[in-house]
Amino acid sequence: VTGCEREELPGGKDAREIRLFAEIGVHLSSEQTKGVITNTTDQELNVGIVRLDEKTGESKTDGYPYFINCSSPLNATFGTPNANEGNLREVTSFSEAQFFKNSKDAVRYAAWYPWPNDWTSENRQGYKYETGGNGTKITFPIPATGDSDIMYSNAVSGTMSEGFDVMKFNHALSLFRIYVYSSSDPSKMDWGNVTALKITGLPDKCEITLPKDQSNKEHQISYSKSTDAGMTLLHDNISIDIPTGFENKCFVKEWIAAPGMLTTGEISIPALDITVSTTVTTADGKESNSEHNLSIARNYEPGHLYHIVLRFTDEGTINADVTIEDWIDTGHKIMSDVLT
């Protein structure tokens, strides 16, 4: 490109250089900020990103964009929220500089988070990027700590003259909150205190398949597990007094995860397998410990908030009531680590 052909933006930026903005809402990240991230968190975020319109080989045509699966992802950094841009985050760096082909043809991107900023074939940290006939698939580890979200952006197209739509990131996992209460004072005496909560059978991998072409705009999300390790919701030396009455229910813990699966015959449905440990202290100071297993099957979906309320009954059973809400980033305060 000669000097006469070069177009510049204010500040000396090349007009052909691609600028992307993202809206990344409230979530948890143990990997990057070790806590809650909001729309105004002053922290850069490392993401993976891929250009979906790349042309390769002898089969490329004059049509544009020509969608294929890219062979490798780009590392990118979304900067701190820009108050002048509605707290959107702009890509401040790509591992390879990105430019439009010309002033009229569109290009297309998809992104995901988190992603190691030093991701290479030798340093994958449990992350995978694979291409094939079934599409481009990214595999993420799901931490057993329940304190890290996985997010993916919608695929956005843009031109040099019109720019891009904002990348809006969606949750690939679900947010769960668990509460306890007893039906009556006598049942409260019979049950004692909750001393442990554990979930088993949770997936430890999340797989996201990117849209393959312009007519396929939806991401595909699936989960798998390689171990039977569980997630402990209460740590040692925590004992929760079970309050009486729904209106007095006690919030116990919040976590981010994908549900396991309950299989009956040929039918599999999402489920949470929860083990509740209780301790009753008698008048003479002796303790009686017991465990109770629940399988709570619902049509759990990513991007939703599930309130799981455990009711300790007079009949000696634990019943679970589940309510669902959309996980609206601006409407729900993360309440993590209330009890640790």
Side-chain angles (χ1 to χ4, degrees):
V1 179
T2 67
C4 294
E5 293 174 324
R6 181 182 177 87
E7 299 180 67
E8 288 193 350
L9 296 172
K13 288 189 176 181
D14 188 337
R16 294 186 310 139
E17 186 174 355
I18 287 172
R19 301 180 68 193
L20 293 174
F21 291 86
E23 181 180 298
I24 305 178
V26 180
H27 60 283
L28 288 172
S29 175
S30 63
E31 299 194 11
Q32 298 202 25
T33 65
K34 300 187 183 301
V36 179
I37 297 174
T38 71
N39 297 318
T40 58
T41 300
D42 190 23
Q43 172 77 38
E44 293 186 334
L45 303 177
N46 301 316
V47 301
I49 196 166
V50 68
R51 186 165 174 163
L52 295 173
D53 61 298
E54 185 178 336
K55 292 183 178 182
T56 60
E58 298 297 323
S59 62
K60 62 186 179 182
T61 67
D62 291 334
Y64 201 82
Y66 178 71
F67 298 103
I68 67 164
N69 295 315
C70 294
S71 58
S72 61
L74 300 165
N75 294 331
T77 300
F78 277 120
T80 58
N82 186 339
N84 295 325
E85 297 285 354
N87 285 330
L88 297 179
R89 296 174 181 268
E90 182 179 3
V91 172
T92 54
S93 67
F94 286 105
S95 53
E96 298 177 19
Q98 299 293 294
F99 296 91
F100 291 104
K101 177 174 179 279
N102 53 44
S103 61
K104 64 178 182 178
D105 289 327
V107 293
R108 194 169 187 238
Y109 289 88
W112 55 90
Y113 165 88
W115 194 246
N117 62 354
D118 56 351
W119 186 89
T120 63
S121 58
E122 293 79 27
N123 186 24
R124 293 182 175 174
Q125 302 178 34
Y127 295 83
K128 292 182 181 179
Y129 180 91
E130 303 167 284
T131 61
N134 294 324
T136 297
K137 181 173 67 177
I138 302 100
T139 300
F140 304 80
I142 303 177
T145 50
D147 60 358
S148 188
D149 204 357
I150 295 171
M151 306 183 80
Y152 63 95
S153 80
N154 57 319
V156 295
S157 298
T159 64
M160 194 170 88
S161 59
E162 297 182 1
F164 284 87
D165 290 334
V166 173
M167 282 185 155
K168 294 187 177 181
F169 277 70
N170 306 290
H171 302 283
L173 302 177
S174 301
L175 178 62
F176 298 93
R177 291 176 182 164
I178 195 164
Y179 311 77
V180 297
Y181 78 97
S182 62
S183 299
S184 65
D185 287 334
S187 66
K188 174 180 177 179
M189 297 294 293
D190 292 338
W191 283 104
N193 288 4
V194 174
T195 52
L197 282 170
K198 186 176 182 179
I199 304 178
T200 58
L202 292 176
D204 56 12
K205 293 180 182 178
C206 173
E207 298 173 344
I208 298 178
T209 302
L210 301 181
K212 194 173 183 180
D213 53 43
Q214 195 168 20
S215 63
N216 175 13
K217 298 181 179 180
E218 298 297 322
H219 293 66
Q220 302 298 317
I221 302 175
S222 61
Y223 312 103
S224 62
K225 64 174 183 175
S226 56
T227 67
D228 288 326
M231 179 187 298
T232 300
L233 300 183
L234 291 182
H235 297 274
D236 295 338
N237 302 318
I238 294 292
S239 180
I240 298 176
D241 180 57
I242 305 173
T244 301
F246 176 83
E247 66 280 2
N248 298 316
K249 63 184 180 295
C250 175
F251 169 71
V252 177
K253 189 68 176 178
E254 173 182 82
W255 73 100
I256 295 174
M261 298 297 293
L262 174 64
T263 301
T264 304
E266 297 181 355
I267 300 176
S268 294
I269 57 176
L272 293 177
D273 292 328
I274 299 179
T275 300
V276 182
S277 299
T278 57
T279 300
V280 176
T281 303
T282 62
D284 58 2
K286 295 181 179 180
E287 292 185 347
S288 175
N289 302 313
S290 57
E291 286 190 350
H292 317 271
N293 298 312
L294 298 84
S295 188
I296 307 171
R298 296 291 190 279
N299 186 28
Y300 300 112
E301 295 180 345
H304 289 83
L305 163 61
Y306 295 93
H307 298 278
I308 300 173
V309 183
L310 302 184
R311 175 163 47 92
F312 293 71
T313 70
D314 296 339
E315 291 77 27
T317 60
I318 303 175
N319 296 332
D321 298 310
V322 180
T323 59
I324 178 176
E325 300 179 43
D326 287 334
W327 185 353
I328 302 172
D329 294 330
T330 57
H332 297 298
K333 180 181 178 182
I334 298 288
M335 300 192 299
S336 63
D337 296 330
V338 171
L339 295 172
T340 57

